Structures are given as C-alpha cells and as structure tokens.
Amino acid sequence: MLHIVEDREQIYSKRVRAGKRTYFFDVRSTRANDYYLTITESRRHPQGDGFTYEKHKLFLYKEDFDKFIDALQESVNHIKTELMPDFDFSQYEVKEEEFDGLNGTELKWE
C-alpha cells in the first residue's frame, strides 16, 4: 500500500551544500502536533541553458531517530576505520558557507 505523507508546516530547516548536491534537513509538524524529519537530496543536472533538479526524499519519524543515527554512525565509522583507515577525511570538514540554515545552529551526527 502506498502511503503519501503531506508535507506539513516547516518548523526548522538546515541546508548542506555538497558540490552538485544539496541536502535539506527539514523538521515538520503533523496535524496531531507531532514532529518528523524529512531529508531531501537535490541534485542539479544541466539541461539546455539551465538546470533541472532531481530530488529524493526520506521521511524519518521520532521512533526511528536513534536507530537511524546509530546505523549511520556505525556505517561511517566502518568506512573510516575498516575500509579506508589511511585516508585523511579532514579535507572534507564542513566549511561555513556549505552548511547553513534558518536557525544558525549546527547539526552533528555523534
């Protein structure tokens, strides 16, 4: 069964620019005053004299926050420590102009 979730009021937003990709982390509210997170990847593709944008959206609900963060952190750590232990990931540290949003606070995966 396909369940379409209507985007509700946006409460908080954070944008992360990453080359031709931009990631949006948006906190939204439900009709029942609950909250969820949408993570959108937007990819820019040249088309004619302009661009088109391909978007992929993920809905993350509060009951899955901790599991999601744990799995993401484990996966990143596996790449950094097991698959690429000698690679210098510091070259990808976040630059201020790549990481901005409405509220000026930083989102960190710990």
Side-chain angles (χ1 to χ4, degrees):
M1 178 176 155
L2 179 63
H3 185 284
I4 298 175
V5 178
E6 178 184 333
D7 278 354
R8 302 291 296 163
E9 180 183 351
Q10 182 174 303
I11 305 297
Y12 177 88
S13 185
K14 194 59 99 169
R15 178 177 56 194
V16 178
R17 294 180 186 173
K20 292 182 180 180
R21 292 182 171 98
T22 302
Y23 299 97
F24 298 92
F25 295 81
D26 298 312
V27 176
R28 299 189 180 273
S29 66
T30 66
R31 290 183 188 148
N33 286 330
D34 205 356
Y35 301 98
Y36 62 96
L37 175 67
T38 60
I39 302 171
T40 305
E41 175 198 39
S42 178
R43 294 177 61 190
R44 183 176 66 181
H45 299 283
Q47 184 177 38
D49 291 337
F51 296 96
T52 61
Y53 294 89
E54 177 184 347
K55 293 184 179 183
H56 300 279
K57 189 173 279 199
L58 176 79
F59 290 80
L60 189 59
Y61 300 94
K62 67 179 181 290
E63 60 269 19
D64 300 321
F65 288 171
D66 289 338
K67 292 181 275 189
F68 183 88
I69 291 170
D70 289 346
L72 178 62
Q73 191 64 64
E74 280 183 41
S75 300
V76 169
N77 286 341
H78 180 75
I79 293 169
K80 287 183 172 183
T81 61
E82 301 296 323
L83 302 177
M84 302 180 77
D86 298 325
F87 188 81
D88 180 14
F89 285 92
S90 67
Q91 65 183 312
Y92 300 120
E93 288 179 1
V94 178
K95 297 179 182 86
E96 191 67 33
E97 65 272 8
E98 294 175 348
F99 193 80
D100 57 8
L102 298 176
N103 294 338
T105 59
E106 292 188 26
L107 176 65
K108 293 183 180 180
W109 299 100
E110 296 182 354

